Amino acid sequence: MLSRIFSCVLNGLDGSTTDVEVDISNGLPALNIVGLPDTAVKESKERIRAAIKNSGFEFPMKRITINLAPANTKKEGTHLDLPMALGLLDAAGVIKNDSVKDFAFIGELSLNGKINRVTGILPLVIALRNNGFNKIVLPDENAAEGAIIKDVEIYSFSNLYEIVQFFKGEIAAAPVQRKLIIEHNEKNDSAEDFSEVVGQEGIKRAFQIAAAGGHNILMIGPPGSGKTMLARRFPSILPDMTYEEAIEVTKIHSVAGLLTNYSSLVTTRPFRSPHHTISSIALIGGGRMPKPGEVSLAHYGILFLDELPEFQRNVLEVLRQPIEDEVVTISRINGTLTYPSKFILVASMNPCPCGYYGDSTHQCTCSPPQIKKYLSKISGPLLDRIDMHIEVFPVQCSELQAEQGSKSSLELKQNVNAARTIQLQRYEKEGILFNSQLKPKLMKKYCKIGNAEKELLEAAFNKLGLSARAYNRIIKLSRTIADLNGCERIQVSHIAEAIQYRNLDRKFWNP
């Protein structure tokens, strides 16, 4: 007897429907799985056999062939256990219900018949919905994640026996409720606030600009000046995530297996801070079974690299392409995967090995060759891709003792949200979200400047020896400053402020 059950497989963040065809015929008892299964799928035959027997059903002692169609694409993951087991029971005449063909199934089986949680549920559910499936069966522990998606009915079960009883009409089950899950996960606020940072008003202004326009930022300063403290409070002033952004971020975290049993939608912007010993594969993504790296896990959020020169140079150089293209392409012998990487790069560093070059209160003990060698770990092309280079000075004792409080993150965020709203409305039909994503064609349309602004830019270009990329980034930065100030047109003051955020490399790169 032949049975056909539907499921899905992943290729990066994209899913494709898989038909699980099961045929039971006379012959020597055997269970064969065909259709390019990987090792995990091949091993499922033992899990299926034990799960069916331990759930109280009889395992057919006949020749069983399971085909995973289309047969020319590789099938990976243990989530095909459940559809294969149900296909086998359907072919054996246990279920006897044609409505099973209206459902798609995802789940891993334990030997006792329990349905285990799997990774990548969100992109799998989205792919199934896009292919016309609006009823999907998932493990209980994945129900909250799958129920995020609109126009889909999610049914969750804890074991194989319950599913069979459901399709035999012996028990009832209702779709998982979507609304309550999302409301529960939206209650997540950052505990770190800019009001805790004393002084550094100029740096806070720079972070406000970076948050409003999605600009990369590099802080240079001696130890104890507050670089890490400022960076860790940066997420508290980032614009609120839209539903579409939250879905895209959750898809990446789902594939990476970072969602807990009780979380569904990621509603706070990611903050990733890898250690400086990280490898290039861990940063960019890859591996034998390619997974998203830190640049993708920071999608629509922040990638914070503390003590930038301590990272290996070859690791830093792989950041060039994701910063520029906002995607990461991983090529392997079995195919090519693409992960998104629209992140804000926040980096910090000391100006020299001892950390006190240029500090008025401490004597630097480094020689010029040592300083040059230390700073040369960061290449010019990478530095050129960072929009803002700002110098962080130590806080004075009088500032620490001052009773007057600093602006809170909420106050700073209000201006950021206002500027981001302007950009969303402006670029509604352009396919971008913020100013740092502007391409040359769109810059000519939305970043028009007058003669006075052009003269200032030309003087800065010639005097500072700027590259064409740095020139364009100053214009994008000026556009963001104008948006924060509520100005429709870029003015000289906006250009001047943007230029000052590009001057630190001149001081420190020529010790």
Side-chain angles (χ1 to χ4, degrees):
M1 185 175 177
L2 180 65
S3 173
R4 188 184 185 196
I5 300 291
F6 298 101
S7 188
C8 190
V9 293
L10 278 180
N11 182 30
L13 292 181
D14 300 319
S16 58
T17 304
T18 299
D19 296 355
V20 179
E21 300 172 335
V22 181
D23 177 72
I24 301 178
S25 58
N26 294 326
L28 292 175
L31 174 56
N32 297 311
I33 302 175
V34 297
L36 290 182
D38 72 342
T39 304
V41 179
K42 289 179 181 177
E43 290 177 347
S44 64
K45 62 174 69 176
E46 302 303 330
R47 294 192 294 271
I48 291 170
R49 190 190 306 273
I52 289 176
K53 290 175 63 178
N54 292 326
S55 297
F57 305 111
E58 184 179 350
F59 190 86
M61 299 304 293
K62 294 186 177 183
R63 182 175 181 83
I64 303 168
T65 303
I66 300 177
N67 178 44
L68 306 176
N72 61 343
T73 58
K74 192 171 181 61
K75 315 301 185 305
E76 297 178 348
T78 57
H79 65 278
L80 293 173
D81 287 4
L82 179 59
M84 286 193 285
L86 287 173
L88 198 154
L89 291 173
D90 186 39
V94 175
I95 295 178
K96 297 179 181 178
N97 191 337
D98 290 339
S99 66
V100 72
K101 296 179 175 60
D102 299 329
F103 288 76
F105 300 87
I106 298 171
E108 176 190 313
L109 290 175
S110 292
L111 298 185
N112 62 358
K114 181 179 180 294
I115 306 175
N116 294 331
R117 178 177 182 269
V118 297
T119 60
I121 283 293
L122 191 60
L124 288 169
V125 170
I126 292 174
L128 287 168
R129 182 200 62 182
N130 294 341
N131 283 279
F133 291 93
N134 59 3
K135 295 181 179 180
I136 303 173
V137 174
L138 301 179
D140 275 342
E141 294 178 346
N142 289 119
E145 182 184 343
I148 296 171
I149 306 303
K150 302 174 183 178
D151 306 322
V152 175
E153 294 182 0
I154 299 297
Y155 293 81
S156 66
F157 297 92
S158 61
N159 57 63
L160 181 62
Y161 180 79
E162 286 183 358
I163 297 179
V164 175
Q165 295 299 97
F166 169 70
F167 282 107
K168 291 174 71 173
E170 297 181 7
I171 63 171
V176 177
Q177 294 297 313
R178 172 179 175 269
K179 183 178 179 181
L180 295 176
I181 295 169
I182 294 179
E183 289 180 349
H184 171 76
N185 282 276
E186 284 177 346
K187 299 175 182 178
N188 188 2
D189 298 320
S190 174
E192 297 181 327
D193 197 280
F194 268 108
S195 61
E196 302 166 345
V197 180
V198 178
Q200 305 292 14
E201 296 303 320
I203 312 302
K204 293 177 185 176
R205 165 69 175 176
F207 271 110
Q208 197 176 24
I209 295 169
H215 301 286
N216 302 321
I217 186 169
L218 169 65
M219 296 177 286
I220 304 178
S225 55
K227 301 186 297 295
T228 303
M229 185 178 186
L230 285 159
R232 292 197 176 277
R233 279 151 183 78
F234 188 30
S236 65
I237 65 170
L238 288 177
D240 298 322
M241 290 183 75
T242 64
Y243 176 77
E244 290 73 19
E245 288 177 331
I247 288 292
E248 200 164 340
V249 171
T250 307
K251 282 172 62 178
I252 298 171
H253 285 242
S254 176
V255 170
L258 298 180
L259 297 180
T260 64
N261 293 348
Y262 304 102
S263 69
S264 55
L265 192 65
V266 177
T267 56
T268 56
R269 294 189 181 273
F271 182 89
R272 306 293 299 182
S273 180
H275 193 261
H276 63 260
T277 56
I278 190 172
S279 67
S280 58
I281 291 178
L283 183 64
I284 212 74
R288 187 181 64 84
M289 297 177 63
K291 293 290 184 182
E294 291 293 333
V295 296
S296 296
L297 294 173
H299 185 54
Y300 286 134
I302 297 167
L303 178 64
F304 176 46
L305 303 183
D306 200 6
E307 301 299 339
L308 193 63
E310 300 300 329
F311 288 79
Q312 296 182 31
R313 185 183 175 103
N314 67 306
V315 173
L316 294 178
E317 291 308 300
V318 301
L319 285 172
R320 292 195 204 175
Q321 186 244 347
I323 290 176
E324 200 73 21
D325 300 338
E326 298 183 337
V327 294
V328 172
T329 302
I330 303 170
S331 297
R332 294 292 182 269
I333 191 170
N334 293 324
T336 301
L337 304 179
T338 300
Y339 292 113
S341 59
K342 296 177 183 176
F343 60 89
I344 299 176
L345 175 63
V346 178
S348 68
M349 60 178 290
N350 296 327
C352 65
C354 78
Y356 295 108
Y357 173 64
D359 189 358
S360 59
T361 59
H362 294 81
Q363 181 67 37
C364 176
T365 59
C366 304
S367 64
Q370 287 178 314
I371 299 174
K372 189 172 183 179
K373 181 180 179 182
Y374 180 75
L375 298 176
S376 66
K377 294 180 180 180
I378 307 172
S379 67
L382 178 60
L383 185 67
D384 216 25
R385 286 169 167 81
I386 301 177
D387 306 67
M388 309 172 73
H389 316 145
I390 55 175
E391 189 172 4
V392 183
F393 296 100
V395 179
Q396 301 300 317
C397 181
S398 58
E399 292 179 296
L400 291 172
Q401 294 177 342
E403 295 184 3
Q404 184 177 0
S406 302
K407 282 187 177 182
S408 67
S409 293
L410 183 60
E411 294 176 275
L412 298 175
K413 185 176 180 178
Q414 288 174 348
N415 291 336
V416 171
N417 276 332
R420 185 62 68 91
T421 300
I422 293 172
Q423 295 169 63
L424 290 174
Q425 293 173 352
R426 180 191 298 139
Y427 307 131
E428 185 177 4
K429 299 180 180 179
E430 304 294 352
I432 62 174
L433 300 173
F434 31 83
N435 292 326
S436 64
Q437 296 178 301
L438 284 168
K439 301 300 180 185
K441 183 179 179 180
L442 294 177
M443 287 178 62
K444 292 180 180 179
K445 183 178 179 181
Y446 296 109
C447 301
K448 295 179 180 179
I449 56 177
N451 292 330
E453 290 79 16
K454 289 180 180 178
E455 290 176 3
L456 179 58
L457 272 171
E458 183 178 357
F461 185 86
N462 294 329
K463 185 174 181 179
L464 305 181
L466 299 175
S467 66
R469 181 184 286 113
Y471 177 90
N472 287 336
R473 290 187 181 273
I474 287 176
I475 294 178
K476 296 177 189 178
L477 208 55
S478 304
R479 179 68 271 174
T480 301
I481 295 170
D483 291 338
L484 272 172
N485 294 346
C487 299
E488 185 177 346
R489 190 176 182 86
I490 298 174
Q491 301 174 3
V492 171
S493 59
H494 306 146
I495 298 284
E497 184 176 357
I499 290 173
Q500 76 171 355
Y501 295 126
R502 295 287 307 186
N503 65 0
L504 286 182
D505 52 334
R506 298 199 319 281
K507 174 181 177 181
F508 289 109
W509 260 248
N510 296 285

